[in-house]
Amino acid sequence: MRVTGTCASRRRVSRTCVSPARVPPARVSSVRRKDQEARETPETRTETDRNSSYGLPMTKNTSQTVLVTGATGTVGRQVVAELLRRGHTVRALTRDPEKARTGLLSRFPSGVDVVRGDLTDPASLAPALDGVTGLHLITFGGASFASLETGPEIVELAREAGVRRVTVLFGGEETPLQRAVEASGLDWTVVQPVEFMSNALEWAEAIRTEDTVREPFTGRLSVMVHEADIGAVAAVALTEEGHAARTYLITGPEVLTLQDKVDALAAARGREITLVELSEETARQRWRAAGHPEDLIDFLIMVYRDTPPEGRTVVGTVEEVTGRPARTFAEWAAEHASEFRA
């Protein structure tokens, strides 16, 4: 089972789910500023920028160099892709550049500079940071995906290298690295997405083989977000003025039930899908059989039974920051339809 989004803090199984109840209700608003006296105002976008199609190069900004950590992850790949589309130089950090060049990173467009570095070993980052103006950070590292305790050292290296802007992918709760970045004096932005649309890939095998989705609490609501929109928000914050000292809650453009998601997938693949509601106990048994620990199972039941407001309330962050509307789940389903066909 894949657990991804801002609710994955209880267990670092993966990085996507629903925003947890621990997130303060105030964050239902799309933007939170720690410093209410804005240091900057957002750049004015032209009408051409606002009407440009997804995926077209953005040439308004002077090219900058951005280092992306977690570049092979669900969000990191999208940050890389969006920065490239905007004409910036991208460095992708990895502990094993050679393996990355022949593995996941080989799927990136040409022009990505794969560099060696390990967030658990800050000294290894110095060469990768040389000449960098923007830095995208994840909050976990190493083979165990443990919460990083190296934030102060990473921040100091970034300052010494002349980094101007830092984005942090929210890890489900405020982490030591996030706190270090927010206290750094650099222009920081926290990127806080809710449930990823890619979570639907968890159903792919059952849909291909049985035309069925089995889930508990089928009436639960979600404002799941397209991963590319998360990447777009991060890319803007890394390369444009006006986003310092902000936490951006990022959602999709619509409130969806599980049936809505199943219907969209069925339409995209051209074949009906049946949604079967599981009892809570049956869901627990399935997750135990899959090897999930009891505290994670309890957490999933809590979130699915009563999704917190942040996970079911649409906010306009994507359009406010990028000038373009957030992508719908129907669009995501069409892009991934082949993965749900037998």
Side-chain angles (χ1 to χ4, degrees), residues 80-81 83-85 87-91 105-114:
V80 168
L83 287 167
L84 288 174
R85 279 194 289 266
H88 299 295
T89 300
V90 181
R91 292 181 189 166
L105 275 178
S106 65
R107 298 185 300 189
F108 285 155
S110 61
V112 176
D113 183 14
V114 182

Side-chain angles (χ1 to χ4, degrees), residues 3-338:
V3 182
T4 39
T6 59
C7 74
S9 62
R10 289 285 288 270
R11 283 277 171 181
R12 296 193 182 280
V13 178
S14 183
R15 317 246 53 89
T16 4
C17 187
V18 193
S19 185
R22 72 170 69 80
V23 179
R27 289 196 181 177
V28 174
S29 70
S30 60
V31 179
R32 177 177 66 87
R33 291 201 66 141
K34 283 200 169 181
D35 176 8
Q36 292 300 321
E37 295 180 0
R39 294 186 233 165
E40 307 119 339
T41 56
E43 290 182 347
T44 302
R45 292 185 176 84
T46 66
E47 195 64 25
T48 300
D49 292 329
R50 293 183 179 278
N51 293 333
S52 59
S53 299
Y54 288 114
L56 293 180
M58 304 292 288
T59 58
K60 176 169 69 73
N61 298 317
T62 302
S63 179
Q64 301 173 50
T65 300
V66 179
L67 178 64
V68 179
T69 68
T72 60
T74 301
V75 172
R77 290 198 303 270
Q78 298 296 339
V79 177
V80 168
E82 183 66 20
L83 287 167
L84 288 174
R85 279 194 289 266
R86 291 170 171 266
H88 299 295
T89 300
V90 181
R91 292 181 189 166
L93 189 77
T94 176
R95 288 176 292 168
D96 189 344
E98 191 55 40
K99 182 178 179 180
R101 288 189 187 96
T102 58
L104 287 172
L105 275 178
S106 65
R107 298 185 300 189
F108 285 155
S110 61
V112 176
D113 183 14
V114 182
V115 295
R116 185 185 304 278
D118 186 341
L119 292 173
T120 65
D121 177 17
S124 69
L125 303 178
L129 285 166
D130 184 39
V132 165
T133 56
L135 173 61
H136 176 71
L137 288 171
I138 53 177
T139 61
F140 58 95
S144 63
F145 300 103
S147 182
L148 287 166
E149 301 290 340
T150 53
E153 294 94 335
I154 293 171
V155 163
E156 183 58 31
L157 286 167
R159 277 199 299 254
E160 292 175 358
V163 172
R164 293 182 55 199
R165 303 185 184 96
V166 182
T167 54
V168 177
L169 180 62
F170 187 67
E173 60 189 348
E174 192 174 75
T175 60
L177 182 139
Q178 181 181 328
R179 288 193 290 271
V181 170
E182 291 179 352
S184 67
L186 298 171
D187 286 355
W188 59 265
T189 307
V190 175
V191 178
Q192 182 183 321
V194 294
E195 182 182 6
F196 295 0
M197 290 182 181
S198 61
N199 280 3
L201 292 171
E202 185 65 30
W203 300 332
E205 183 177 357
I207 289 175
R208 287 194 302 266
T209 59
E210 305 174 30
D211 298 326
T212 301
V213 168
R214 294 179 175 85
E215 287 285 333
F217 309 113
T218 56
R220 68 182 187 257
L221 303 177
S222 171
V223 287
M224 62 195 327
V225 60
H226 197 301
E227 305 78 51
D229 286 335
I230 307 168
V233 170
V236 171
L238 285 163
T239 57
E240 296 185 15
E241 302 293 334
H243 306 283
R246 300 192 181 198
T247 293
Y248 283 133
L249 180 65
I250 307 174
T251 78
E254 55 197 343
V255 180
L256 300 169
T257 64
L258 285 185
Q259 189 64 61
D260 293 332
K261 300 175 193 178
V262 167
D263 289 346
L265 291 170
R269 77 177 195 136
R271 185 180 174 92
E272 289 188 2
I273 303 169
T274 301
L275 175 61
V276 176
E277 182 164 21
L278 301 178
S279 68
E280 178 180 328
E281 184 53 37
T282 300
R284 286 181 179 274
Q285 291 172 1
R286 290 184 69 196
W287 291 334
R288 288 188 193 111
H292 299 309
E294 207 64 30
D295 63 339
L296 174 60
I297 292 172
D298 289 342
F299 180 62
L300 293 173
I301 291 294
M302 176 190 73
V303 172
Y304 289 162
R305 180 193 291 129
D306 184 19
T307 303
E310 295 82 3
R312 50 183 164 83
T313 305
V314 172
V315 294
T317 305
V318 173
E319 187 159 12
E320 291 167 10
V321 174
T322 70
R324 297 177 292 188
R327 296 163 171 89
T328 65
F329 185 68
E331 291 177 271
W332 184 94
E335 293 165 8
H336 296 271
S338 63

